Amino acid sequence: MHILIKLKIPTLAAISKNCINWTFVFHFYPQQSSPSSFPLTRFHTTMSSTKQEGEVVTSVLSSEQAAELYDVKSRDLAMEKADEAAQLEVDPSSNRRLVWKIDLILLTVISLVSAFQYMDKSSSNYASVMGIKTDLKMVGNQYSWVGTSFYLGFLVFEAPCSWTLQRLPLSKITSAYIIAWGLLLCLTSLVKSYPTFILTRTLLGVLESSITPAMVLFMSQWYKKDEQFFRTSILIACNAVGGLVGASVSYRLYERQLAGTLSMDAWRILFIIVGLITIVTGLMVLFIIPDTPSQAWWLNKTEKLLAIQRIRSNKQGFGNRHFKKEQVYEALVDPRLYLYFFLQVAVAIPNGGFSNFSALMIAGLGYGKGKALLMGMPTSAVSIIGMILFGYLSTIRNRRLDIAFAGLALNLISGCLMAFAKPLHAQLAGYYIFGISPIPYTCILSMVASNSAGHSKKVFMGAISMIGYCTGNLIGPQTFRESQAPHYQGAKTAIVACYCIAFLILAAIYIVNVRENKRRDALDERLPADMLNSEFADLTDFQNPEFRYAI
């Protein structure tokens, strides 16, 4: 015997005042006839433009029809252990020990990935003062296309890459991407012409498009909502660690090149070094990070169950490998999708230009090329300290958008100093304060991880967000015109304008989330009481009336 319950739930679409009715079809199976103790196995959604009264319709299906409708693929990867985990209580002491262990192992490894990814992306920036422009005969605005080509590859492959991260084992496919880009970096040392170099940078963007979406998925798998912003801040701070390491290595190679003690060009050796480091990091991801927490070899059985129980409050689970088109359709009517996209564009334009031209900009203040490599290191130091500090503050106040507003204010000060200050020391201070610039980007990543429920929706929202990031980084280097070298006044003015726009978009995100939370609190709707383990049903934030958006 199989019972079908069809329930129409009217909700208010956040994108407008129009009502949208989501129709859920729940299939309940007797305990003895279903391979899972979880009663919700499949749902369908339809939308209507008019509000209708809620209704309940019951009918009896044959066993053949029930078997056809039962689809284990729609369940979350954590569902298999959900009942067993529900028997455990995560006390504060056990939670602290488990989080410390996760931080020590998982966070350490993905922080190394973040550090070396940034060093890889910035390798062309370091190479620009080590002779690559002369060796590859770059003229005019050709160097601007080095940064743009990277993000062009990133942009083109972002969507298919995100699809592979959902369909394939997360850790294994991520490590494959990392190892491949490490090999490509090593091969970059062999390039002899500008077109070949552009090709390698484009392919590098293709491979590295996987990393940030993978980090978002790891964060949502392992950490609770109120823990994610701080850990994401640590990841971004490790970008600066990669910047420090890259600048130090580059300066030492440049010194030896001037002394004539190198067997090949310094920039070629640089690509080999960062490539080999990246390959080792990829192997660490393969052997240390599991595809899901319940597969972690470094957790005992009880800890694996506690890891499942801990993230139950996220109402998102570990995700699943079945792509659901209806969740993509929902994302397309979610205003957050477009706000994330345009916020990414606004904050990425300054990043795209600065990450490729910072060494040349500092050299334009009157410092020699070698010293310009060293003078950029305080920016990385400011980033490390600032990102960790702001991330920690978010754990105290637990309002990440407030932190993002404060970070944007510092970004605007940084841009104004670089663009409009007359004293060179004031301009240099602006460069250093720019180390805080990733705070809005960190906010977006944690928002995608925390506020996008439904695995297919989360993957899609993350992909569109990163496309915005790519778009901004594509535009950024083009704001630096060779005719304005070495001060690049037009690019600096564009940085100020972008941060002003970012303020307005961030305010819109705040308003949308606060208003929706208040609306849900007023309605106080609940999921059916007999709907067991609903946290692992792969429900989206629209489908789950108990979901609340992190502010």
Side-chain angles (χ1 to χ4, degrees):
M1 182 74 65
H2 173 70
I3 300 176
L4 168 67
I5 296 181
K6 184 177 181 181
L7 178 63
K8 292 188 176 180
I9 305 175
T11 64
L12 186 63
I15 195 170
S16 69
K17 296 295 184 180
N18 296 326
C19 286
I20 293 180
N21 292 322
W22 291 88
T23 302
F24 299 88
V25 181
F26 299 95
H27 306 284
F28 291 87
Y29 292 82
Q31 189 77 12
Q32 67 272 20
S33 65
S34 172
S36 168
S37 60
F38 176 66
L40 171 63
T41 62
R42 188 174 182 178
F43 62 84
H44 306 280
T45 61
T46 61
M47 292 195 299
S48 171
S49 60
T50 59
K51 185 175 180 179
Q52 301 176 16
E53 295 298 326
E55 63 177 84
V56 177
V57 180
T58 61
S59 62
V60 178
L61 302 180
S62 67
S63 58
E64 292 78 8
Q65 290 172 312
E68 182 180 352
L69 288 171
Y70 186 81
D71 183 6
V72 72
K73 293 188 299 182
S74 68
R75 300 182 305 167
D76 189 88
L77 294 172
M79 183 59 68
E80 184 178 350
K81 300 288 185 180
D83 278 341
E84 192 175 354
Q87 309 304 316
L88 299 177
E89 182 178 349
V90 186
D91 61 87
S93 177
S94 299
N95 185 65
R96 283 193 299 270
R97 287 196 300 270
L98 181 56
V99 171
W100 171 250
K101 194 171 187 178
I102 294 170
D103 286 343
L104 186 63
I105 299 176
L106 174 96
L107 188 61
T108 298
V109 174
I110 61 177
S111 293
L112 289 174
V113 173
S114 178
F116 297 132
Q117 181 201 23
Y118 185 82
M119 188 167 68
D120 296 347
K121 286 195 298 186
S122 300
S123 55
S124 62
N125 181 36
Y126 306 135
S128 68
V129 296
M130 297 168 70
I132 192 171
K133 294 175 69 176
T134 301
D135 293 343
L136 299 185
K137 300 179 176 58
M138 297 186 199
V139 296
N141 294 317
Q142 283 187 328
Y143 180 69
S144 297
W145 285 97
V146 173
T148 298
S149 63
F150 174 90
Y151 286 105
L152 183 61
F154 204 117
L155 175 66
V156 171
F157 201 66
E158 183 58 45
C161 168
S162 296
W163 182 82
T164 63
L165 292 175
Q166 178 177 6
R167 295 287 292 173
L168 302 174
L170 181 58
S171 175
K172 295 180 180 63
I173 187 61
T174 301
S175 65
Y177 283 128
I178 296 172
I179 293 170
W181 105 51
L183 291 171
L184 181 62
L185 279 167
C186 291
L187 293 174
T188 303
S189 65
L190 304 177
V191 300
K192 302 292 185 181
S193 65
Y194 173 74
T196 306
F197 183 61
I198 288 294
L199 175 62
T200 62
R201 298 307 290 180
T202 304
L203 293 176
L204 187 65
V206 166
L207 296 172
E208 290 200 36
S209 64
S210 63
I211 301 309
T212 301
M215 298 301 106
V216 169
L217 295 178
F218 282 129
M219 282 291 165
S220 64
Q221 278 187 347
W222 288 88
Y223 292 105
K224 297 167 66 176
K225 284 185 179 181
D226 57 359
E227 299 167 344
Q228 290 172 3
F229 187 90
F230 183 36
R231 270 73 185 182
T232 306
S233 297
I234 292 175
L235 288 183
I236 304 302
C238 286
N239 283 351
V241 174
L244 284 174
V245 174
S248 301
V249 172
S250 299
Y251 179 71
R252 183 57 182 158
L253 288 172
Y254 185 73
E255 278 191 325
R256 293 194 59 185
Q257 178 173 274
L258 292 178
T261 59
L262 296 178
S263 59
M264 67 173 67
D265 297 324
W267 61 267
R268 297 183 188 276
I269 298 176
L270 175 65
F271 282 118
I272 294 174
I273 292 173
V274 296
L276 291 175
I277 292 174
T278 300
I279 292 171
V280 172
T281 308
L283 292 173
M284 292 177 65
V285 171
L286 178 62
F287 292 111
I288 296 177
I289 300 181
D291 296 315
T292 66
S294 58
Q295 297 173 315
W297 57 267
W298 38 270
L299 294 179
N300 60 40
K301 182 179 179 181
T302 301
E303 289 171 334
K304 292 176 182 178
L305 295 176
L306 287 175
I308 295 173
Q309 189 66 6
R310 252 176 44 82
I311 66 161
R312 188 181 289 269
S313 62
N314 290 354
K315 302 186 184 299
Q316 298 183 37
F318 294 164
N320 67 75
R321 295 180 187 139
H322 178 58
F323 187 75
K324 300 177 182 178
K325 291 185 291 185
E326 64 270 18
Q327 292 191 5
V328 173
Y329 300 150
E330 178 183 310
L332 291 172
V333 299
D334 190 336
R336 295 165 191 82
L337 176 74
Y338 306 98
L339 292 173
Y340 293 158
F341 174 84
F342 287 112
L343 182 57
Q344 283 279 40
V345 173
V347 299
I349 289 175
N351 176 75
F354 194 84
S355 61
N356 285 280
F357 284 86
S358 60
L360 294 176
M361 292 166 72
I362 293 175
L365 295 178
Y367 300 100
K369 290 185 176 180
K371 196 171 183 180
L373 290 171
L374 293 179
M375 294 299 289
M377 294 176 70
T379 303
S380 297
V382 169
S383 184
I384 295 170
I385 297 171
M387 293 303 301
I388 293 177
L389 175 61
F390 275 88
Y392 177 72
L393 290 176
S394 73
T395 65
I396 298 175
R397 182 164 172 76
N398 196 26
R399 288 176 65 93
R400 65 195 71 186
L401 286 177
D402 292 350
I403 302 299
F405 278 119
L408 265 178
L410 288 174
N411 292 349
L412 192 55
I413 292 172
S414 168
C416 289
L417 286 173
M418 287 190 291
F420 308 123
K422 298 299 181 183
L424 295 182
H425 291 302
Q427 293 184 41
L428 190 60
Y431 293 122
Y432 293 160
I433 298 174
F434 194 82
I436 304 295
S437 64
I439 290 176
Y441 173 69
T442 304
C443 176
I444 299 169
L445 296 184
S446 66
M447 282 288 181
V448 172
S450 301
N451 288 345
S452 304
H455 197 61
S456 295
K457 181 177 180 179
K458 184 193 302 291
V459 170
F460 184 75
M461 294 278 276
I464 297 301
S465 168
M466 292 310 298
I467 288 174
Y469 174 78
C470 297
T471 301
N473 279 284
L474 281 168
I475 297 170
Q478 300 304 316
T479 63
F480 286 77
R481 310 306 298 173
E482 187 66 26
S483 59
Q484 297 179 345
H487 301 296
Y488 302 105
Q489 187 59 40
K492 295 175 183 178
T493 304
I495 288 175
V496 175
C498 286
Y499 285 140
C500 290
I501 294 171
F503 253 109
L504 298 176
I505 300 173
L506 195 62
I509 293 175
Y510 179 87
I511 292 170
V512 167
N513 286 345
V514 169
R515 289 184 63 183
E516 180 61 14
N517 283 348
K518 287 182 178 179
R519 188 190 70 83
R520 294 187 181 205
D521 289 342
L523 291 175
D524 195 27
E525 295 176 332
R526 301 288 175 181
L527 291 169
D530 56 355
M531 185 173 166
L532 305 178
N533 295 322
S534 61
E535 299 88 352
F536 305 113
D538 197 35
L539 297 177
T540 69
D541 45 293
F542 278 17
Q543 295 167 343
N544 188 351
E546 298 176 10
F547 188 94
R548 295 297 182 271
Y549 295 97
I551 304 300

